[in-house]
């Protein structure tokens, strides 16, 4: 099974194509059945107002997207002011008049006129006649109308707000002959309290359905709803807990005589899911009960092996085959993590092929009772063909979709169909269900194609096997492999590690915890760590040490001023030779260095974990970012550093040359001891400069190894010289008049000192300073935001890397109308964080960098003790600062960056977004800012008004990607240009224009070759 996870798409599809293919006779019969089903579907569309509404407002129209976007957020907005802004945002730009009177349904036309009126109220000027006519009704009228419409949509897609209501609805005439699988659906649990609430909802649902087992209804369970940390890294914690809960539900269901199915999850959870399902399936207490089941997603490359696994269990298993629910997020995750290949198919037709092949396997399996979830007439007809006269299986469809497809089959032909029926409050469920609807309504889906009158029946029912065979099973051309993410003209994406694979994770854990090689040393003149210094940069002596994670070794003195001068002398002498080396050759050195970084990834990760206390995930990111810097700057140098011919009058040649300046000093921080250390350094090198590189005194070993690899890649040993030590070494380095530029990442205070030192000597040339410093980074959350998404992004932004990132979230600003709920959920999510050794894959928050940082942060926590909303217990035997949430009264109460896992939260008033942005801007920092909102206008406002280098909307605020999200601040947060961006290299260069008068040497000879206008 594991060998298919990242296998190439053509290799996986080859046997599936053979399995799914139909002979000509079968194909003819299937088409006949499919055409009949298609007619039934279209007839149903013309009858129900719901179908007509969805047909009128298709998902490929701006109006359809606006309606669904409104539905996703509206019901969770508690305050009228923000609700009105959301309505204006979603209704204001769409052309509702174009739909007026077009539908055959009076109800749809009435709804459309309501939208026209709403558009007038929220989008048109005050002088229009219709606006004047209904101005007395105003926004409250629109708000009430939209609220009623959203609740009506909830009725469409949610079976019932309670299990009793849902079961009652299943007794309506339109559901005659159908059974249901009820799911107490919602977002995945973020807290243990959420998980317990979901568990109790499932218990109640099993009890309710079990009161009438003869009705044939069942329950669907989502494991991610039962544990907030359902992750491979937490396997030892979540798998036993989930197994216990699933066993309890299964035993309860068995005692009631009803069925229970475990829903499918994302691909990285598959092995955990199978482990849990396998244990429960083998329990002696469940022998004789044939109601246990699971869902399998056909878009996954491992779907067939999972069916084989299920068939091999010592019991009959109910298996629901679905096409898949997380396609877009799975694609993005694979790209972001730089994995070898996708775990799923990239073409819709390939998923259809997989579905058919797996369905055929299920029909032939001895120990599987199949259930086929589909709204596709061709898929249904094919399964009917293969099943022949058998009815020993069932079809399934989503509640609210696929009306007309199964009614005739159930009522006249003896087939069984089960409705997947979400149960719960509309406010909680509509957001989730709308996202599922958007996925099911993708342009290539059957549901969407059915509503497109431009498509013929032959096009709608086209054979997926023929489609995939025609392209040789190849991946979709617009979805490149992660390594090629940046395109043919871009740099190669760095390779990541799939930590959801248990074997890979175990190997990585062993590697990063292995003793470091004794040959790794910081080089000439190194004292084991550097001596005392500036607290703001962490350049204080380290009191105790890891390799026992969480502790620090004692410091000794680094290089003296004489050794620094000698290092500069070496680099200065090497400059002429290196600066005249061809740009392509310098770039090739960087690319070889990137390859070496990936070759020695395990070793480099181990040093990051043991010296810088990086967690395993952060250590992977560190190596990848360093490799990305190397490849990106190499590519940029090849594009932009060659001489440029400029225009001018005839008889004159004008050329702009881009050259190195001389010797650069690069001074790196401890929080990104490899990525930033190398990023600054290779940028200076590839532009033709030589470099004296100084790492933070806490992290010399990783820098030393990086320099060794750079030399191995072809950088001359004197073109890149390493010096180590504390602030006295940095001061000696920047004071030397031979330094022609400084690239620094660290505190604002130290940056100021460097800037002053570069100007102290009036005889010294004015040299560039590239400074990247910190910030009081804020995230603004309004009441349209999805709390579960907000909390996940806040946890990552605030506490990952123990809060020791320049970009980390320091100030959370929540609209006061939802603040209590968000803070409660955030507090619960904090309880799931694990504090511990950096080399433990389950660790979320490791130790801070040294004793001085620990003392400073703990003293601050003590000073704000009365304002702490939530904090955790931390191990006592190391430098572990507990994640802490501090409630402050106003934005102005926080005026200093606290570089650790401490988050401050304050509130802001609805309607005052611009004022809130201005108050954050007034602090003078400008590194990162975030916004969570479903209002597009809010995103436009913050984009126009936020004075920050990096703005993140509806996502976390950390993890800037080289080449995609150039990183760097303004104001008190840095000078620019932005690291990892297209303008970064120019700052390291001297530009020299050369103008040559060629008239004295014969003029412009090309003029003599002109056909017209000669002498």
């Amino acid at each position: 099974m594991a060998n298919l996870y990242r296998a190439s798409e053509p290799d996986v599809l080859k046997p599936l194509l053979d399995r799914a293919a139909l002979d000509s006779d079968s194909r003819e019969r299937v088409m006949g059945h499919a055409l009949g089903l298609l007619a039934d579907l279209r007839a149903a569309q013309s009858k129900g107002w719901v179908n007509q509404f969805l047909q009128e407002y298709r998902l490929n129209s701006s109006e359809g997207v606006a309606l669904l976007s409104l539905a996703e957020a509206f019901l969770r907005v508690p305050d009228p002011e923000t609700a009105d802004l959301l309505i204006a945002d979603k209704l204001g730009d769409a052309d509702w008049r174009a739909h007026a009177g077009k539908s055959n349904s009076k109800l749809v036309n009435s709804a459309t006129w309501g939208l026209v009126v709403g558009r007038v109220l929220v989008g048109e000027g005050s002088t229009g006649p219709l606006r004047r006519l209904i101005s007395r009704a105003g926004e409250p009228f629109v708000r009430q109308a939209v609220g009623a419409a959203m609740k009506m949509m909830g009725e469409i897609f949610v079976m019932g707000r309670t299990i009793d209501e849902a079961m009652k609805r299943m007794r309506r005439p339109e559901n005659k002959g159908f059974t249901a699988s009820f799911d107490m659906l919602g977002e995945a649990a973020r807290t243990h309290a959420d998980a317990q609430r979901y568990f109790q909802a499932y218990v109640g649902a099993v009890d309710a359905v079990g009161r009438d087992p003869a009705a044939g209804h069942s329950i669907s369970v989502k494991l991610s709803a039962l544990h907030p940390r359902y992750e491979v890294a937490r396997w030892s914690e979540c798998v036993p807990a989930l197994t216990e809960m699933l066993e309890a539900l299964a035993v309860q269901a068995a005692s009631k005589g009803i069925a229970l199915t475990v829903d499918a999850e994302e691909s990285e959870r598959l092995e955990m899911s199978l482990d849990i399902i396998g244990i429960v399936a083998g329990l002696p207490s469940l022998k004789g009960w044939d109601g246990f089941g699971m869902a399998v997603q056909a878009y996954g490359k491992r779907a067939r092996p999972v069916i084989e696994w299920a068939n091999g269990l010592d019991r009959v298993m109910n298996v629901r085959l679905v096409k898949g629910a997380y396609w877009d997020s799975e694609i993005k995750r694979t790209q972001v993590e730089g994995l070898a290949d996708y775990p799923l198919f990239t073409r819709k037709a390939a998923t259809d092929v997989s579905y058919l092949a797996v369905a055929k396997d299920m029909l032939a399996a001895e120990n599987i009772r199949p259930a086929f979830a589909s709204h596709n007439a061709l898929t249904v007809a094919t399964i009917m063909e293969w099943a022949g006269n058998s009815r020993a299986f069932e079809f399934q469809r989503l509640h609210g979709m696929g009306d007309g497809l199964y009614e005739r089959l159930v009522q006249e032909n003896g087939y069984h169909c089960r409705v997947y029926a979400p149960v719960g409050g509309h406010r909680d469920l509509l957001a989730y269900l709308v996202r599922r609807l958007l996925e099911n309504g993708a342009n290539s889906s059957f549901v969407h194609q059915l509503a497109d009158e431009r498509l013929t029946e032959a096009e709608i029912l086209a054979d997926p096997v023929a489609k995939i065979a025609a392209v040789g099973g190849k991946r979709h051309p617009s979805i490149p492999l992660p390594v090629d993410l940046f395109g043919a003209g871009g740099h190669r994406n760095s390779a990541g590690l799939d930590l959801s694979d248990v074997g890979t994770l175990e190997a990585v854990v062993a590697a990063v915890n292995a003793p470091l090689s004794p040959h790794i040393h910081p080089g000439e003149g190194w004292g084991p760590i550097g001596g005392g210094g500036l607290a703001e940069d962490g350049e204080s002596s380290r009191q105790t040490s890891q390799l026992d994670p969480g502790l620090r070794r004692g410091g000794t003195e680094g290089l003296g001023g004489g050794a620094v001068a000698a290092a500069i002398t070496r680099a200065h002498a090497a400059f002429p030779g290196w600066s005249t080396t061809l740009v392509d050759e310098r770039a090739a050195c960087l690319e070889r260095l990137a390859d070496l970084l990936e070759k020695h990834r395990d070793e480099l990760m181990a040093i990051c974990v043991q010296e810088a206390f990086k967690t395993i995930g952060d250590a992977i990111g560190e190596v990848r970012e360093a490799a990305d810097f190397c490849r990106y700057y190499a590519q940029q140098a090849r594009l932009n550093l060659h001489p440029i011919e400029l225009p001018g009058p005839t008889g004159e040649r004008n050329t702009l040359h881009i050259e190195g300046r001389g010797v650069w000093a690069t001074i790196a921080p401890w929080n990104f001891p490899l990525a930033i250390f190398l990023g600054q350094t290779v940028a200076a090198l590839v532009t033709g400069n030589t470099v004296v590189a100084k790492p933070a005194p806490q992290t010399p070993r990783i820098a030393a190894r990086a320099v060794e690899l750079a030399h191995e890649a072809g950088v001359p040993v004197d073109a890149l010289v390493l010096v180590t030590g504390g602030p006295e070494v940095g001061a000696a380095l920047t004071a030397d008049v031979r330094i022609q530029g400084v690239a620094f990442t660290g505190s604002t205070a130290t940056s100021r000192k460097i800037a002053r030192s570069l100007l102290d000597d009036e005889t010294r040339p004015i040299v560039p300073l590239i400074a990247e410093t910190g910030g009081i980074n804020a995230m603004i959350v309004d009441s349209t935001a999805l709390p579960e998404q907000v909390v996940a992004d806040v946890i990552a932004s605030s506490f990952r890397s123990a809060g020791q990132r320049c970009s980390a979230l320091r100030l959370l600003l929540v609209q006061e109308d939802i603040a209590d709920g968000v803070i409660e959920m955030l507090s619960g999510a904090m309880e799931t964080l694990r504090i511990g050794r950096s080399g433990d894959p389950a660790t979320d928050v490791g130790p801070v960098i040294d004793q001085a940082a620990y003392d400073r942060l703990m003293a601050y926590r003590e000073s704000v003790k009365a304002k702490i909303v939530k904090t955790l217990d931390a191990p006592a035997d190391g430098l572990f600062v507990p994640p802490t949430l501090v409630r402050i009264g106003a934005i102005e109460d926080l005026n200093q960056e606290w570089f650790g896992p401490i988050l401050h939260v304050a509130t802001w008033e609805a309607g005052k977004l611009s004022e809130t942005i201005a108050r954050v801007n007034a602090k003078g920092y400008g590194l990162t800012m975030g916004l969570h909102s479903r209002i597009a206008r809010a995103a436009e406002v913050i984009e126009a008004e936020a004075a920050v280098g990096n703005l993140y909307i509806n996502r976390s605020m950390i993890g800037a990607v080289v080449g995609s999200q150039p990183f760097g601040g303004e104001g008190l947060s840095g000078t620019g240009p932005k690291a990892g961006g297209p303008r970064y290299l120019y700052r390291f260069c001297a530009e020299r224009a050369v103008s040559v008068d060629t008239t004295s040497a014969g003029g412009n000879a090309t003029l003599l070759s002109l056909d017209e206008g000669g002498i």
Side-chain angles (χ1 to χ4, degrees):
M1 191 183 300
N3 63 341
L4 290 179
Y5 193 22
R6 305 290 176 191
S8 72
E9 206 153 327
D11 289 344
V12 179
L13 281 168
K14 187 175 180 180
L16 298 179
L17 287 166
D18 294 337
R19 185 66 169 159
L22 291 165
D23 58 41
S24 57
D25 290 342
S26 296
R27 174 70 180 165
E28 186 175 347
R29 289 192 296 271
V30 165
M31 284 298 293
H33 284 304
L35 287 169
L37 294 171
L38 198 59
D40 288 345
L41 276 164
R42 285 182 163 163
Q45 278 196 333
S46 66
K47 292 179 180 177
W49 77 268
V50 171
N51 288 319
Q52 291 188 47
F53 190 86
L54 294 176
Q55 189 174 20
E56 183 67 31
Y57 297 106
R58 297 174 187 166
L59 298 181
N60 64 343
S61 69
S62 60
E63 293 83 11
V65 171
L67 279 177
L68 288 175
S69 299
L70 185 60
E72 196 273 339
F74 183 80
L75 293 181
R76 65 171 173 264
V77 178
D79 59 296
E81 187 162 13
T82 306
D84 291 341
L85 290 173
L86 180 67
I87 294 169
D89 188 71
K90 301 309 176 191
L91 300 189
D93 294 330
D95 184 11
W96 305 106
R97 290 178 189 269
H99 296 269
K102 297 294 179 65
S103 176
N104 294 326
S105 166
K106 292 182 179 179
L107 192 57
V108 172
N109 287 332
S110 297
T112 297
W113 279 112
L115 294 169
V116 171
V117 171
R119 168 69 175 86
V120 171
L121 281 171
V122 301
E124 293 185 359
S126 59
T127 58
L130 186 57
R131 172 74 190 204
R132 292 197 302 270
L133 179 66
I134 57 179
S135 60
R136 292 183 181 179
E139 278 76 3
F141 165 77
V142 176
R143 195 184 314 128
Q144 291 170 9
V146 170
M150 295 303 101
K151 290 177 181 177
M152 191 174 295
M153 289 188 71
E155 292 287 334
I156 297 170
F157 298 113
V158 179
M159 180 61 77
R161 286 165 293 185
T162 66
I163 186 64
D164 290 329
E165 184 179 307
M167 291 177 67
K168 181 179 179 181
R169 187 170 180 181
M170 278 302 299
R171 292 193 288 270
R172 292 181 181 177
E174 64 265 25
N175 293 319
K176 183 180 179 181
F178 288 80
T179 55
S181 180
F182 298 113
D183 187 1
M184 316 308 291
L185 201 58
E187 300 294 331
R190 295 294 178 200
T191 70
H192 288 293
D194 288 340
Q196 188 59 34
R197 186 171 65 253
Y198 284 130
F199 177 73
Q200 292 302 326
Y202 284 131
V203 169
V206 172
D207 183 64
V209 173
R211 289 197 292 268
D212 184 16
H217 301 317
S218 62
I219 298 294
S220 292
V221 174
K222 204 169 190 63
L223 295 178
S224 57
L226 299 178
H227 200 285
R229 300 301 301 272
Y230 187 33
E231 306 159 15
V232 172
R234 294 289 190 90
W235 188 299
S236 61
E237 169 191 343
C238 68
V239 168
L242 285 168
T243 302
E244 182 179 345
M245 285 189 280
L246 183 59
E247 177 184 355
L249 292 172
V251 168
Q252 181 192 8
S255 71
K256 301 285 186 178
I258 65 171
L260 183 144
T261 299
V262 181
D263 264 338
E265 303 276 0
E266 296 88 342
S267 61
E268 65 265 28
R269 292 167 166 166
L270 177 61
E271 292 184 35
M272 287 193 297
S273 296
L274 296 185
D275 201 23
I276 295 165
I277 292 167
I279 293 171
V280 174
L283 290 172
S285 58
L286 298 178
K287 289 289 184 183
W289 174 56
D290 61 1
F292 191 47
M294 61 183 290
V296 175
Q297 301 188 104
Y299 70 14
K301 292 176 178 176
R302 297 176 290 182
R304 283 192 85 190
V306 172
I307 295 300
E308 184 179 354
W309 174 87
N311 191 44
L313 294 173
D314 186 23
R315 67 173 299 123
V316 171
M317 286 291 290
N318 301 319
V319 177
R320 173 194 298 149
L321 183 63
V322 301
K323 294 199 173 173
Y326 306 98
W327 186 87
D328 51 351
S329 59
E330 298 259 21
I331 292 289
K332 181 177 180 179
R333 171 184 170 267
T334 305
Q335 292 176 341
V336 168
E337 295 187 8
L339 304 182
D341 207 330
Y342 299 101
L344 41 75
F345 301 108
T346 58
R347 294 178 187 264
K348 177 65 169 61
T351 293
D352 290 341
V353 168
S354 173
Y355 192 98
L356 293 174
V358 172
K360 201 170 192 179
D361 289 347
M362 290 169 62
L363 288 168
E366 294 181 2
N367 295 322
I368 286 179
R369 183 180 295 163
F372 303 109
S374 178
H375 304 123
N376 187 312
L378 182 66
T379 301
V380 172
T382 304
I383 291 169
M384 290 166 58
E385 169 71 16
W386 285 336
N389 294 323
S390 172
R391 300 294 186 269
F393 66 92
E394 66 181 29
F395 289 113
Q396 295 191 0
R397 68 171 177 86
L398 290 173
H399 170 62
M401 296 186 69
D403 288 346
L405 179 59
Y406 291 113
E407 280 75 1
R408 189 190 301 271
L409 296 180
V410 170
Q411 295 163 8
E412 299 179 12
N413 298 310
Y415 289 96
H416 182 205
C417 183
R418 188 176 299 274
V419 178
Y420 186 88
V423 178
H426 297 161
R427 177 186 178 278
D428 298 322
L429 294 189
L430 204 52
Y432 177 89
L433 292 166
V434 164
R435 286 194 287 280
R436 297 287 79 80
L437 180 63
L438 287 167
E439 289 179 357
N440 280 283
N443 287 350
S444 59
S445 78
F446 184 86
V447 171
H448 183 90
Q449 291 180 5
L450 185 66
D452 192 339
E453 296 174 355
R454 296 169 299 177
L455 295 177
T456 66
E457 290 177 338
E459 289 172 317
I460 293 173
L461 300 177
D463 183 7
V465 173
K467 284 184 179 180
I468 295 303
V471 297
K474 293 180 181 177
R475 181 176 22 85
H476 197 290
S478 63
I479 303 177
L481 287 176
V483 70
D484 301 318
L485 182 61
F486 299 104
H491 66 287
R492 191 173 91 219
N493 191 17
S494 57
L497 288 169
D498 186 3
L499 298 185
S500 71
D501 178 76
V502 176
T504 300
L505 180 60
E506 289 175 347
V508 170
V509 171
V512 301
N513 288 290
L516 297 181
S517 172
H519 84 276
I520 303 172
H521 57 84
E524 180 180 346
W526 175 59
I529 298 297
L534 298 170
E536 288 171 285
D537 286 335
E539 294 196 348
S540 55
S541 59
R542 307 164 83 171
Q543 305 301 314
T544 54
S545 171
Q546 191 164 337
L547 306 182
D548 177 16
L551 304 176
R552 289 294 193 191
R553 65 173 70 88
T556 63
E557 292 302 317
L559 295 173
V564 171
I568 297 172
T569 298
R570 288 170 55 196
H572 185 71
F575 174 71
W578 179 248
S579 64
T580 55
T581 301
L582 294 175
V583 170
D584 286 346
E585 188 173 335
R586 298 197 302 258
C589 286
L590 267 62
E591 289 166 338
R592 288 193 293 271
L593 175 54
D595 293 341
L596 287 169
L597 292 171
E598 292 182 338
K599 178 182 177 181
H600 295 277
R601 176 174 51 200
D602 287 355
E603 173 193 1
L604 296 169
M605 287 174 57
I607 308 173
C608 286
V609 167
Q610 297 186 37
E611 182 178 59
F613 300 170
K614 293 275 180 179
T615 61
I616 291 175
D618 286 345
I620 294 172
E622 186 84 11
V623 178
R624 289 192 64 207
E625 186 175 2
D628 283 335
F629 274 132
C630 291
R631 293 194 179 108
Y632 179 73
Y633 291 147
Q635 178 241 359
Q636 289 293 307
R638 286 197 173 98
L639 284 176
N640 301 319
L641 297 188
H642 294 287
I644 302 170
E645 294 293 330
L646 302 175
T650 185
E652 184 174 285
R653 185 176 73 249
N654 297 292
T655 310
L656 181 65
H657 296 268
I658 301 174
E659 311 284 353
R661 290 177 172 272
V663 183
W664 273 70
T666 60
I667 303 173
W670 48 260
N671 62 334
F672 285 92
L674 179 65
I676 292 180
F677 174 81
L678 271 182
Q680 296 176 155
T681 298
V682 300
L685 287 169
V686 79
T687 46
N689 302 285
T690 54
V691 177
V692 178
K694 178 195 170 299
Q698 295 90 337
T699 53
R701 297 186 84 176
I702 190 65
R705 189 65 180 119
V707 169
E708 287 180 357
L709 293 175
H711 292 157
E712 185 178 337
V715 177
V717 293
D718 287 342
L720 172 58
V721 184
L722 180 72
V723 298
T724 63
E728 71 289 340
V729 173
L733 186 57
T734 58
D736 196 299
V737 296
R738 292 171 295 176
I739 293 296
Q740 295 299 301
V742 176
F744 167 78
T745 302
S747 73
T748 303
T750 301
S751 179
R752 289 184 187 279
K753 291 180 181 179
I754 293 172
R756 284 194 295 268
S757 74
L758 296 177
L759 297 173
D760 280 348
D761 189 340
E762 294 183 1
T763 65
R764 181 178 188 171
I766 299 173
V767 301
L769 166 64
I770 301 172
E772 182 184 308
T773 59
I776 301 179
N777 309 312
M779 178 189 288
I780 300 171
V781 179
D782 75 14
S783 61
T784 69
L786 185 67
E788 290 84 357
Q789 183 185 1
V790 170
V791 167
D793 289 341
V794 168
I795 290 288
S797 302
S798 303
F799 303 126
R800 187 170 171 180
S801 309
Q804 297 174 121
R805 292 180 181 235
C806 300
S807 58
L809 172 61
R810 309 295 179 198
L811 177 58
L812 176 62
L813 301 173
V814 186
Q815 187 179 320
E816 60 187 6
D817 305 272
I818 61 167
D820 291 345
V822 169
I823 291 172
E824 181 182 4
M825 184 179 290
L826 177 57
S827 298
M830 288 174 63
E831 292 176 355
T832 73
L833 294 172
R834 182 173 293 184
I835 309 169
R837 296 174 52 253
S838 301
D840 183 342
T843 290
D844 299 301
V845 182
V848 296
I849 191 65
D850 60 18
Q851 189 70 46
Y854 175 84
D855 292 342
R856 185 167 58 253
L857 291 166
M858 294 301 283
Y860 174 68
R861 287 179 74 255
E862 185 63 27
S863 72
V864 294
K865 190 174 182 179
K867 300 177 182 178
I868 291 177
V869 176
K870 184 68 179 180
T871 191
L872 306 177
D873 294 329
D877 58 344
L879 304 177
F880 299 105
V881 175
T884 304
L885 181 63
V886 179
R887 182 73 179 261
I888 58 176
I891 294 171
E892 289 72 22
D893 292 349
L894 180 64
N895 293 300
Q896 180 178 343
E897 178 186 36
W898 293 97
F899 209 72
I902 299 175
L903 173 64
H904 304 79
V905 60
T907 61
W908 61 284
E909 294 180 33
K912 294 187 176 182
L913 178 60
S914 289
E915 178 184 319
T916 301
I917 296 168
R919 291 166 67 189
V920 175
N921 287 343
K923 294 187 174 300
Y925 291 93
L927 189 54
T928 65
M929 190 181 292
L931 171 72
H932 266 273
S933 174
R934 292 297 193 262
I935 301 175
R937 177 58 184 158
E940 294 170 1
V941 168
I942 198 168
E943 187 173 350
E945 298 177 6
V948 295
N950 289 75
L951 177 64
Y952 298 99
I953 297 173
N954 291 330
R955 52 152 291 172
S956 75
M957 290 169 52
I958 62 172
V961 177
V962 173
S964 294
Q965 297 139 11
F967 186 78
E970 57 193 68
L972 296 176
S973 296
T975 63
K978 297 170 79 64
R983 298 183 179 89
Y984 189 63
L985 293 185
Y986 293 125
R987 187 62 169 158
F988 290 85
C989 301
E991 294 183 287
R992 293 165 183 161
V994 178
S995 184
V996 178
D997 182 359
T998 60
T999 57
S1000 60
N1004 188 350
T1006 61
L1007 292 177
L1008 302 179
S1009 66
L1010 297 178
D1011 294 331
E1012 303 291 341
I1015 296 175

